[in-house]
Amino acid sequence: MARGRSGELRASLALSDWALTGLDDPATVPAPRRPALTPTPTPAFTRTVERPNVLLVTVDDLATIDMPYLPRVRRLMERGGVAFADALAPTPLCAPSRASLLSGQYAHNHGARTVSGLQGGYSAFSHHDTLATALQGAGYDTLFTGKFINGYGENGTAHEVPEGWTDWRATVDPSTYRFFGPRMNVNGVVGRSKGYTTDVMTAHAQEMISADRDGRPWFAWVNYVAPHVGFPGGKDDPKRLFPGTPAGELKTTVPAPKDRGRYRKVPLPLVPSSFPDGDPTVPAHAPANAHRFDALQKRALNIVYQRRIEAARGLDRAMAKLFRTLRRTGQLDRTLVVFHSDNGYAIGPHNMNGKRFHYDESLRVPLYMRGPGLPRGVVVPTAVTVPDLTATILAATGVTPPRPLDGVDVLPWIGAPPQVRVVPISAWMGRGEERRARRVYSGVRVGTWTYVEYRRGGAELYDRSRDPYEIQNLADDPAHAPVRAALASLNARYRASGGASAPNQLYAAEQLVR
């Protein structure tokens, strides 16, 4: 919207006005302060199937730029369903994202703020009131296979079956990242599986969704590990090619044997934000200044990227197999299928090789939905979050939420005009088993604006409508002081919000350009 800069500024200031008054209802704001922007009522939506099956497929660390290497997924889910162009992982890290799916809450509410430590991973999350327990309590068979929340299987938990699961087939850490023969807990019995992990999870999923369930609907959560890093490596991976160097320490994922080397000539995509020589406009502890990659490391990162898109081929075949199973068993037309990644991933932008941070490559994830009553070939520009997926599944199945939800049901918004909303974003670092996780940053993403404040000091502000690669930090630009103040007030209001106080209202983008 360029219209953009003035429109988004107006939205930010209007939303901030409400934040400063502490009021959710604009009608109660005194007339001199009353903003012109008003929330959009939730559109009507007709659910054509009661109690549908739900197939939720989560992949690990897949980035939006990887999607060209999953043509079957795009054909089945994008052309055959709905694509969400601005899907976001508000805390872009494995454990917090999975816990958000189970709870419908932001990480500051569900407790698993990072992957390990006192406030991280499996042990930090309550499993008593989840999406699984709610669906099972409502008569659904609940099916799980693959990677669970980080840390599951460690510290004596390998034989646990979390509450709410009818059929449980999970990998056991740390073997989760062994791409051939990971150990699995299959309904309480732990043993080593046989085969490549993506194929193993697919076979388990096919068996579970094919079972005769006497007419009971089912919810299946299939969690693939690819393209997360793992082992064993190959002779053409950085560890073998560059031993004894920093480049040799860069880890890769593991593609299926028939896919390894398929993309050995495909170069790592470079964008304007790739491998900067520092950035004086961002804090010293921001990734652009905290990291550097030498020429050998860049060669290794090219291999890291190639392994990722090679591993994506296995995911692509897996989705096609799951669809064939749904068709063969006559269940496709009454199954809501969701495909997404737990977080994005950056190799090069802002000197990153990973996720966690607030940049678009890390926050934004692939997300597709297909199912009864949904249109085909539609692209939704409105921002959607991981907690929204939980709210959407509960609404689609008619099941009462087990906890206060931070997300919204997105299905009614699929056919609506573009909307703008406030999305709180944040990340933490674990500090061992005895100390609370430490926040790295908090901020908001509002329309095309991204704003964060670092715990160690400093801020970043980007107008992605003019600067899509987020290389022009406007936080200290006097001309953008009103925008920074507006977004800072929204961050202060929403970084600890939840349930009824979460920013769950949407605003028609057309209001911004009148």
Side-chain angles (χ1 to χ4, degrees):
M1 307 168 210
R3 306 182 339 195
R5 181 171 175 269
S6 61
E8 292 291 354
L9 173 57
R10 179 181 167 196
S12 300
L13 294 175
L15 291 169
S16 179
D17 200 6
W18 296 356
L20 292 172
T21 62
L23 301 171
D24 287 313
D25 182 0
T28 64
V29 180
R33 291 179 55 83
R34 186 176 301 150
L37 199 65
T38 55
T40 305
T42 301
F45 180 75
T46 301
R47 304 188 189 279
T48 59
V49 172
E50 293 186 5
R51 294 171 64 80
N53 301 320
V54 179
L55 173 60
L56 173 61
V57 178
T58 301
V59 297
D60 202 332
D61 287 359
L62 190 74
T64 56
I65 65 166
D66 301 330
M67 287 310 301
Y69 297 93
L70 290 93
R72 296 177 181 88
V73 173
R74 295 189 66 183
R75 174 175 55 83
L76 293 165
M77 298 294 296
E78 183 175 330
R79 294 201 296 273
V82 179
F84 295 85
D86 198 23
L88 305 171
T91 298
L93 201 60
C94 302
S97 190
R98 282 172 174 74
S100 285
L101 277 169
L102 283 168
S103 65
Q105 297 179 327
Y106 293 119
H108 60 259
N109 291 323
H110 64 55
R113 298 180 174 185
T114 185
V115 297
S116 62
L118 183 64
Q119 292 181 302
Y122 175 75
S123 62
F125 182 73
S126 171
H127 301 272
H128 305 302
D129 49 358
T130 67
L131 177 63
T133 62
L135 289 169
Q136 188 182 61
Y140 271 73
D141 280 358
T142 50
L143 323 172
F144 182 90
T145 187
K147 172 181 174 177
F148 197 52
I149 299 176
N150 300 61
Y152 171 74
E154 298 178 335
N155 301 317
T157 62
H159 289 84
E160 291 184 5
V161 176
E163 290 184 39
W165 296 102
T166 308
D167 196 343
W168 176 257
R169 310 182 187 194
T171 56
V172 173
D173 281 357
S175 79
T176 294
Y177 306 101
R178 181 193 295 138
F179 275 70
F180 295 92
R183 294 176 68 229
M184 296 186 67
N185 177 328
V186 179
N187 297 311
V189 178
V190 177
R192 185 165 181 176
S193 60
K194 295 181 180 179
Y196 179 64
T197 181
T198 299
D199 298 335
V200 170
M201 303 317 157
T202 303
H204 278 297
Q206 288 177 294
E207 181 180 317
M208 290 190 294
I209 66 178
S210 299
D212 182 2
R213 302 194 175 277
D214 295 325
R216 294 186 304 277
W218 51 261
F219 163 72
W221 189 12
V222 183
N223 268 265
Y224 291 110
V225 182
H228 194 286
V229 298
F231 58 93
K235 62 181 180 181
D236 49 356
D237 286 341
K239 185 176 182 179
R240 298 274 193 92
L241 294 176
F242 313 117
T245 70
E249 297 174 2
L250 293 171
K251 299 178 180 179
T252 71
T253 190
V254 183
K258 63 183 174 183
D259 297 322
R260 177 175 286 274
R262 171 90 180 200
Y263 296 124
R264 61 185 177 276
K265 295 183 179 180
V266 177
L268 172 68
L270 299 178
V271 296
S273 59
S274 294
F275 302 118
D277 292 326
D279 184 348
T281 72
V282 301
H285 41 270
N289 293 324
H291 306 111
R292 292 289 194 282
F293 295 99
D294 61 28
L296 199 60
Q297 287 174 305
K298 291 176 184 178
R299 285 178 57 190
L301 287 174
N302 202 73
I303 297 170
V304 171
Y305 171 71
Q306 291 165 353
R307 295 293 171 271
R308 286 174 52 83
I309 58 178
E310 288 165 358
R313 287 177 57 83
L315 298 173
D316 200 44
R317 290 191 297 270
M319 279 298 291
K321 290 178 181 178
L322 295 178
F323 266 84
R324 285 197 295 270
T325 300
L326 291 175
R327 286 196 180 97
R328 177 177 54 80
T329 56
Q331 299 181 94
L332 182 59
D333 290 342
R334 58 171 297 103
T335 301
L336 173 64
V337 183
V338 181
F339 176 93
H340 80 115
S341 181
D342 56 352
N343 46 255
Y345 203 87
I347 304 178
H350 308 282
N351 282 333
M352 287 179 60
N353 176 35
K355 53 244 183 160
R356 194 188 301 267
F357 284 90
H358 52 276
Y359 305 109
D360 196 65
E361 295 86 357
S362 179
L363 282 178
R364 196 157 57 88
V365 299
L367 171 61
Y368 305 93
M369 293 186 189
R370 170 175 171 162
L374 298 188
R376 296 190 174 192
V378 170
V379 178
V380 177
T382 299
V384 173
T385 70
V386 174
D388 293 339
L389 301 185
T390 318
T392 300
I393 291 170
L394 289 167
T397 55
V399 174
T400 302
R403 315 182 181 199
L405 296 178
D406 299 340
V408 300
D409 174 15
V410 303
L411 297 189
W413 298 97
I414 286 175
Q419 305 289 311
V420 171
R421 64 189 294 196
V422 179
V423 176
I425 55 178
S426 56
W428 289 262
M429 291 287 291
R431 297 193 295 166
E433 300 298 329
E434 305 296 328
R435 303 173 69 188
R436 296 172 66 85
R438 183 161 53 196
R439 191 188 293 268
V440 179
Y441 65 84
S442 67
V444 290
R445 183 160 158 143
V446 185
T448 62
W449 292 99
T450 299
Y451 173 75
V452 297
E453 299 170 357
Y454 287 95
R455 182 195 60 82
R456 295 173 61 186
E460 293 183 38
L461 171 65
Y462 299 102
D463 176 4
R464 299 187 322 279
S465 68
R466 296 176 173 231
D467 178 22
Y469 298 103
E470 299 165 303
I471 56 179
Q472 298 174 6
N473 182 17
L474 305 173
D476 295 326
D477 178 6
H480 288 83
V483 183
R484 176 173 177 171
L487 298 179
S489 69
L490 291 173
N491 178 39
R493 179 178 183 183
Y494 290 122
R495 68 181 176 183
S497 65
S501 67
N504 53 17
Q505 294 176 320
L506 282 70
Y507 306 85
E510 65 179 10
Q511 294 187 73
L512 311 181
V513 293
R514 287 175 180 168

Coordinates of all heavy atoms in Angstrom, one line a residue, residues 110-177:
H110 N 2.0 -19.3 26.8 CA 2.0 -20.8 26.9 C 3.3 -21.3 27.7 O 3.3 -22.4 28.1 CB 1.9 -21.5 25.6 CG 2.9 -21.3 24.6 ND1 4.3 -21.5 24.8 CD2 2.8 -20.9 23.3 CE1 5.0 -21.3 23.7 NE2 4.1 -20.9 22.8
G111 N 4.3 -20.5 27.8 CA 5.4 -20.8 28.7 C 6.6 -21.4 28.1 O 7.7 -21.3 28.6
A112 N 6.5 -22.1 26.9 CA 7.7 -22.7 26.2 C 8.3 -21.6 25.3 O 8.1 -21.6 24.1 CB 7.3 -23.9 25.5
R113 N 9.0 -20.7 25.9 CA 9.5 -19.5 25.2 C 10.7 -19.8 24.3 O 11.0 -19.1 23.4 CB 9.9 -18.4 26.2 CG 8.6 -18.0 27.0 CD 9.0 -16.9 28.0 NE 7.7 -16.4 28.7 CZ 7.7 -15.4 29.5 NH1 8.8 -14.8 29.8 NH2 6.5 -15.0 30.0
T114 N 11.4 -20.9 24.6 CA 12.6 -21.2 23.8 C 12.7 -22.7 23.7 O 11.7 -23.4 24.1 CB 13.8 -20.5 24.3 OG1 14.9 -20.8 23.4 CG2 14.2 -21.0 25.7
V115 N 13.8 -23.3 23.3 CA 13.9 -24.7 23.0 C 14.3 -25.5 24.2 O 14.1 -26.8 24.2 CB 14.8 -25.0 21.8 CG1 14.2 -24.4 20.5 CG2 16.2 -24.5 22.0
S116 N 14.9 -24.9 25.2 CA 15.5 -25.7 26.3 C 15.5 -24.8 27.6 O 15.3 -23.6 27.5 CB 16.8 -26.3 26.0 OG 17.8 -25.2 25.8
G117 N 15.9 -25.4 28.7 CA 16.0 -24.6 29.9 C 14.7 -24.5 30.7 O 13.7 -25.1 30.4
L118 N 14.7 -23.7 31.7 CA 13.6 -23.5 32.6 C 12.3 -23.1 32.0 O 11.3 -23.6 32.3 CB 14.0 -22.5 33.7 CG 13.0 -22.3 34.8 CD1 12.8 -23.5 35.6 CD2 13.4 -21.1 35.7
Q119 N 12.4 -22.3 30.9 CA 11.2 -21.8 30.2 C 11.3 -22.3 28.8 O 10.8 -21.5 27.9 CB 11.1 -20.3 30.3 CG 10.8 -19.9 31.8 CD 10.6 -18.4 31.8 OE1 11.5 -17.6 31.5 NE2 9.4 -17.9 32.2
G120 N 11.8 -23.4 28.5 CA 12.0 -23.9 27.1 C 11.6 -25.3 27.0 O 11.8 -26.2 27.9
G121 N 11.1 -25.7 25.8 CA 10.9 -27.1 25.4 C 9.8 -27.8 26.1 O 8.9 -27.2 26.7
Y122 N 9.8 -29.1 26.0 CA 8.7 -30.0 26.4 C 8.3 -29.8 27.9 O 7.1 -29.7 28.2 CB 9.2 -31.4 26.1 CG 8.2 -32.5 26.6 CD1 7.0 -32.8 25.9 CD2 8.5 -33.3 27.7 CE1 6.2 -33.8 26.4 CE2 7.7 -34.3 28.2 CZ 6.5 -34.5 27.5 OH 5.7 -35.5 27.9
S123 N 9.3 -29.7 28.7 CA 9.0 -29.6 30.2 C 8.4 -28.3 30.6 O 7.9 -28.2 31.7 CB 10.3 -29.9 31.0 OG 11.3 -28.9 30.7
A124 N 8.6 -27.3 29.8 CA 8.0 -26.0 30.2 C 6.6 -25.8 29.8 O 6.0 -24.7 30.1 CB 8.9 -24.9 29.5
F125 N 6.0 -26.7 29.1 CA 4.7 -26.6 28.5 C 3.7 -27.5 29.3 O 4.0 -28.6 29.6 CB 4.7 -27.0 27.1 CG 3.4 -26.8 26.4 CD1 2.9 -25.5 26.1 CD2 2.6 -27.9 26.0 CE1 1.6 -25.4 25.4 CE2 1.4 -27.8 25.4 CZ 0.9 -26.5 25.1
S126 N 2.5 -27.0 29.6 CA 1.4 -27.8 30.2 C 0.7 -28.5 29.1 O 0.1 -27.9 28.2 CB 0.5 -26.9 31.0 OG -0.6 -27.6 31.4
H127 N 0.6 -29.8 29.3 CA -0.1 -30.7 28.3 C -1.5 -31.1 28.7 O -2.1 -32.0 28.1 CB 0.8 -32.0 28.1 CG 2.2 -31.7 27.6 ND1 2.5 -31.5 26.3 CD2 3.3 -31.4 28.3 CE1 3.8 -31.3 26.2 NE2 4.3 -31.2 27.4
H128 N -2.1 -30.4 29.7 CA -3.4 -30.8 30.3 C -4.5 -30.2 29.5 O -5.7 -30.7 29.6 CB -3.5 -30.4 31.7 CG -2.3 -31.0 32.6 ND1 -2.1 -32.4 32.6 CD2 -1.4 -30.4 33.3 CE1 -1.0 -32.6 33.4 NE2 -0.6 -31.4 33.9
D129 N -4.3 -29.1 28.8 CA -5.4 -28.3 28.2 C -5.0 -27.8 26.8 O -4.7 -26.6 26.6 CB -5.9 -27.2 29.1 CG -4.7 -26.3 29.6 OD1 -3.5 -26.6 29.3 OD2 -4.9 -25.3 30.3
T130 N -4.9 -28.7 25.9 CA -4.3 -28.5 24.6 C -5.4 -28.7 23.5 O -6.5 -29.2 23.8 CB -3.1 -29.3 24.3 OG1 -3.6 -30.7 24.2 CG2 -2.1 -29.2 25.4
L131 N -5.0 -28.4 22.3 CA -5.8 -28.7 21.1 C -6.2 -30.2 21.1 O -7.3 -30.6 20.8 CB -5.1 -28.3 19.9 CG -5.7 -28.6 18.5 CD1 -7.1 -27.8 18.4 CD2 -4.8 -28.2 17.4
A132 N -5.2 -31.0 21.4 CA -5.4 -32.5 21.4 C -6.4 -32.9 22.5 O -7.3 -33.7 22.2 CB -4.1 -33.2 21.6
T133 N -6.3 -32.4 23.7 CA -7.2 -32.8 24.8 C -8.6 -32.3 24.5 O -9.6 -33.0 24.7 CB -6.7 -32.3 26.1 OG1 -6.7 -30.9 26.1 CG2 -5.4 -32.8 26.5
A134 N -8.7 -31.1 23.9 CA -10.1 -30.6 23.6 C -10.7 -31.4 22.5 O -11.9 -31.8 22.6 CB -9.9 -29.1 23.2
L135 N -10.0 -31.7 21.4 CA -10.6 -32.5 20.3 C -10.9 -33.9 20.8 O -12.0 -34.5 20.5 CB -9.6 -32.5 19.2 CG -9.4 -31.2 18.4 CD1 -8.3 -31.3 17.4 CD2 -10.7 -30.9 17.6
Q136 N -10.0 -34.5 21.5 CA -10.3 -35.9 22.0 C -11.5 -35.9 22.9 O -12.4 -36.8 22.9 CB -9.1 -36.4 22.8 CG -9.2 -37.9 23.2 CD -8.0 -38.4 23.9 OE1 -7.7 -37.9 25.0 NE2 -7.3 -39.4 23.4
G137 N -11.6 -34.9 23.8 CA -12.8 -34.8 24.7 C -14.1 -34.6 23.9 O -15.2 -34.9 24.5
A138 N -14.0 -34.1 22.7 CA -15.2 -33.8 21.9 C -15.5 -35.0 20.9 O -16.3 -34.9 20.1 CB -15.0 -32.6 21.1
G139 N -14.8 -36.1 21.1 CA -15.1 -37.3 20.3 C -14.2 -37.5 19.1 O -14.4 -38.5 18.3
Y140 N -13.1 -36.7 18.9 CA -12.2 -36.9 17.8 C -11.1 -38.0 18.3 O -10.7 -38.0 19.4 CB -11.5 -35.6 17.5 CG -12.2 -34.8 16.5 CD1 -13.4 -34.1 16.8 CD2 -11.7 -34.7 15.2 CE1 -14.0 -33.3 15.8 CE2 -12.3 -33.9 14.2 CZ -13.5 -33.2 14.5 OH -14.1 -32.5 13.6
D141 N -10.7 -38.8 17.3 CA -9.5 -39.5 17.5 C -8.3 -38.6 17.1 O -8.4 -37.9 16.1 CB -9.5 -40.8 16.5 CG -10.3 -41.9 17.1 OD1 -10.8 -41.8 18.2 OD2 -10.4 -42.9 16.4
T142 N -7.4 -38.6 18.0 CA -6.2 -37.6 17.8 C -5.0 -38.4 17.5 O -4.6 -39.3 18.3 CB -6.1 -36.7 19.1 OG1 -6.0 -37.6 20.2 CG2 -7.3 -35.8 19.2
L143 N -4.3 -38.1 16.4 CA -3.2 -38.9 15.9 C -2.0 -38.0 15.8 O -2.0 -36.9 15.3 CB -3.6 -39.5 14.6 CG -5.1 -39.9 14.4 CD1 -5.3 -40.2 12.9 CD2 -5.4 -41.1 15.3
F144 N -0.8 -38.6 16.2 CA 0.4 -37.8 16.1 C 1.5 -38.7 15.6 O 1.7 -39.8 16.0 CB 0.8 -37.2 17.5 CG 2.0 -36.4 17.5 CD1 2.0 -35.0 17.2 CD2 3.3 -37.0 17.6 CE1 3.1 -34.2 17.1 CE2 4.5 -36.2 17.5 CZ 4.3 -34.8 17.3
T145 N 2.3 -38.1 14.7 CA 3.6 -38.7 14.4 C 4.6 -37.7 14.0 O 4.3 -36.6 13.4 CB 3.4 -39.7 13.2 OG1 4.6 -40.4 13.0 CG2 3.0 -39.0 11.9
G146 N 5.9 -38.0 14.4 CA 7.0 -37.1 14.0 C 7.6 -36.4 15.2 O 7.6 -36.9 16.4
K147 N 8.1 -35.2 15.0 CA 8.8 -34.4 16.0 C 7.8 -33.7 16.9 O 6.9 -33.0 16.4 CB 9.7 -33.4 15.3 CG 10.4 -32.4 16.2 CD 11.2 -31.4 15.5 CE 11.7 -30.3 16.4 NZ 12.7 -29.3 15.8
F148 N 8.0 -33.8 18.2 CA 7.1 -33.1 19.1 C 7.9 -31.9 19.6 O 8.9 -31.4 19.0 CB 6.7 -34.0 20.3 CG 5.5 -33.5 21.0 CD1 4.4 -33.1 20.4 CD2 5.6 -33.4 22.4 CE1 3.3 -32.7 21.1 CE2 4.5 -33.0 23.2 CZ 3.3 -32.6 22.5
I149 N 7.5 -31.3 20.7 CA 8.2 -30.2 21.3 C 9.6 -30.6 21.7 O 9.8 -31.6 22.3 CB 7.4 -29.6 22.5 CG1 6.0 -29.1 22.0 CG2 8.2 -28.4 23.1 CD1 5.1 -28.6 23.2
N150 N 10.6 -29.7 21.4 CA 12.0 -30.0 21.7 C 12.2 -30.5 23.1 O 11.6 -29.9 24.0 CB 12.8 -28.7 21.5 CG 12.8 -28.2 20.1 OD1 11.7 -27.9 19.6 ND2 13.9 -28.2 19.4
G151 N 13.0 -31.5 23.3 CA 13.3 -32.0 24.6 C 12.4 -33.2 25.0 O 12.7 -33.9 26.0
Y152 N 11.4 -33.5 24.1 CA 10.6 -34.7 24.4 C 11.5 -36.0 24.2 O 12.2 -36.1 23.2 CB 9.4 -34.8 23.5 CG 8.7 -36.2 23.6 CD1 7.9 -36.5 24.7 CD2 8.9 -37.2 22.6 CE1 7.3 -37.7 24.8 CE2 8.3 -38.4 22.7 CZ 7.5 -38.7 23.8 OH 6.9 -39.9 24.0
G153 N 11.5 -36.8 25.3 CA 12.3 -38.0 25.2 C 13.6 -37.9 26.1 O 14.2 -38.9 26.5
E154 N 13.9 -36.6 26.5 CA 15.1 -36.4 27.4 C 14.6 -36.4 28.8 O 13.5 -36.2 29.2 CB 15.8 -35.1 27.0 CG 16.3 -35.2 25.5 CD 17.0 -33.9 25.1 OE1 16.7 -32.8 25.7 OE2 17.9 -33.9 24.2
N155 N 15.6 -36.6 29.7 CA 15.4 -36.5 31.2 C 14.2 -37.4 31.6 O 13.4 -37.0 32.4 CB 15.0 -35.0 31.6 CG 16.2 -34.1 31.2 OD1 17.3 -34.4 31.4 ND2 15.8 -32.9 30.7
G156 N 14.3 -38.6 31.1 CA 13.3 -39.6 31.6 C 11.9 -39.6 31.0 O 11.0 -40.2 31.5
T157 N 11.8 -38.8 29.9 CA 10.4 -38.6 29.3 C 10.2 -39.5 28.1 O 9.1 -39.4 27.4 CB 10.2 -37.2 28.9 OG1 11.1 -36.8 27.9 CG2 10.3 -36.3 30.1
A158 N 11.1 -40.4 27.7 CA 11.0 -41.1 26.5 C 9.8 -42.0 26.4 O 9.3 -42.3 25.3 CB 12.3 -42.0 26.3
H159 N 9.3 -42.5 27.5 CA 8.1 -43.4 27.5 C 6.8 -42.7 27.8 O 5.8 -43.3 27.9 CB 8.3 -44.5 28.5 CG 9.4 -45.5 28.1 ND1 10.7 -45.3 28.4 CD2 9.3 -46.7 27.5 CE1 11.4 -46.3 27.9 NE2 10.6 -47.2 27.3
E160 N 6.9 -41.4 28.0 CA 5.6 -40.6 28.2 C 4.8 -40.5 27.0 O 5.3 -40.3 25.8 CB 6.0 -39.2 28.7 CG 6.6 -39.2 30.1 CD 6.8 -37.8 30.7 OE1 6.4 -36.8 30.0 OE2 7.4 -37.7 31.7
V161 N 3.5 -40.5 27.1 CA 2.5 -40.2 26.1 C 1.7 -39.0 26.6 O 0.9 -39.2 27.5 CB 1.6 -41.4 25.7 CG1 0.6 -41.0 24.7 CG2 2.4 -42.6 25.2
P162 N 1.9 -37.8 26.1 CA 1.2 -36.7 26.6 C -0.3 -36.8 26.5 O -0.8 -37.6 25.7 CB 1.7 -35.5 25.6 CG 3.0 -36.0 25.1 CD 2.8 -37.5 25.0
E163 N -1.0 -36.1 27.4 CA -2.4 -36.2 27.4 C -3.1 -35.8 26.1 O -2.6 -35.0 25.4 CB -3.0 -35.3 28.5 CG -2.7 -35.8 29.9 CD -3.4 -34.9 31.0 OE1 -4.5 -34.5 30.7 OE2 -2.7 -34.6 32.0
G164 N -4.2 -36.5 25.8 CA -5.0 -36.1 24.6 C -4.7 -36.8 23.3 O -5.4 -36.5 22.3
W165 N -3.8 -37.8 23.3 CA -3.5 -38.4 22.0 C -4.0 -39.9 22.0 O -3.7 -40.7 22.9 CB -2.0 -38.4 21.8 CG -1.5 -37.0 21.6 CD1 -0.9 -36.2 22.6 CD2 -1.7 -36.2 20.5 NE1 -0.6 -35.0 22.1 CE2 -1.1 -34.9 20.8 CE3 -2.3 -36.3 19.2 CZ2 -1.1 -33.8 19.9 CZ3 -2.3 -35.3 18.3 CH2 -1.7 -34.1 18.7
T166 N -4.8 -40.2 21.0 CA -5.4 -41.5 20.8 C -4.3 -42.5 20.2 O -4.3 -43.6 20.6 CB -6.6 -41.4 19.8 OG1 -7.5 -40.5 20.3 CG2 -7.3 -42.8 19.7
D167 N -3.5 -42.0 19.3 CA -2.5 -42.8 18.7 C -1.2 -41.9 18.6 O -1.2 -40.9 18.0 CB -2.9 -43.2 17.3 CG -2.1 -44.3 16.7 OD1 -1.0 -44.6 17.2 OD2 -2.6 -45.0 15.7
W168 N -0.2 -42.3 19.3 CA 1.0 -41.5 19.5 C 2.2 -42.2 19.0 O 2.6 -43.3 19.4 CB 1.2 -41.3 21.0 CG 2.4 -40.6 21.4 CD1 3.6 -41.1 22.0 CD2 2.6 -39.2 21.4 NE1 4.5 -40.1 22.2 CE2 3.9 -38.9 21.9 CE3 1.8 -38.1 20.9 CZ2 4.4 -37.6 22.0 CZ3 2.4 -36.8 21.0 CH2 3.6 -36.6 21.5
R169 N 2.9 -41.6 18.0 CA 4.1 -42.1 17.3 C 5.1 -41.0 17.1 O 5.3 -40.5 16.0 CB 3.7 -42.8 16.0 CG 2.5 -43.7 16.1 CD 2.2 -44.4 14.8 NE 0.9 -45.2 14.9 CZ 0.5 -46.1 14.0 NH1 1.3 -46.3 12.9 NH2 -0.6 -46.7 14.1
A170 N 5.8 -40.7 18.2 CA 6.7 -39.6 18.2 C 8.2 -40.0 18.2 O 8.6 -41.0 18.9 CB 6.4 -38.7 19.4
T171 N 9.0 -39.2 17.6 CA 10.5 -39.4 17.7 C 10.9 -38.9 19.1 O 10.3 -38.1 19.7 CB 11.2 -38.6 16.6 OG1 10.9 -37.2 16.7 CG2 10.9 -39.1 15.2
V172 N 12.0 -39.6 19.5 CA 12.5 -39.3 20.9 C 13.8 -38.6 20.7 O 14.8 -39.1 20.1 CB 12.7 -40.7 21.6 CG1 13.5 -40.5 22.9 CG2 11.4 -41.4 21.8
D173 N 13.9 -37.4 21.4 CA 15.2 -36.6 21.4 C 16.3 -37.4 22.2 O 16.0 -38.1 23.1 CB 14.9 -35.3 22.0 CG 14.3 -34.3 21.0 OD1 14.0 -34.7 19.8 OD2 14.0 -33.2 21.4
P174 N 17.5 -37.2 21.7 CA 18.0 -36.4 20.6 C 18.0 -37.1 19.3 O 18.5 -36.6 18.3 CB 19.5 -36.2 21.0 CG 19.9 -37.4 21.8 CD 18.6 -37.8 22.6
S175 N 17.4 -38.4 19.2 CA 17.5 -39.1 18.0 C 16.5 -38.5 16.9 O 16.6 -38.9 15.8 CB 17.1 -40.6 18.2 OG 15.7 -40.7 18.3
T176 N 15.7 -37.5 17.3 CA 14.8 -36.9 16.3 C 15.6 -36.4 15.1 O 15.0 -36.5 14.0 CB 14.1 -35.7 17.0 OG1 13.2 -36.2 18.1 CG2 13.3 -34.9 16.0
Y177 N 16.8 -36.0 15.3 CA 17.6 -35.4 14.2 C 18.5 -36.4 13.5 O 19.3 -36.0 12.7 CB 18.4 -34.2 14.7 CG 17.4 -33.2 15.4 CD1 17.4 -33.2 16.8 CD2 16.6 -32.4 14.7 CE1 16.5 -32.3 17.5 CE2 15.7 -31.5 15.3 CZ 15.6 -31.5 16.7 OH 14.8 -30.7 17.3

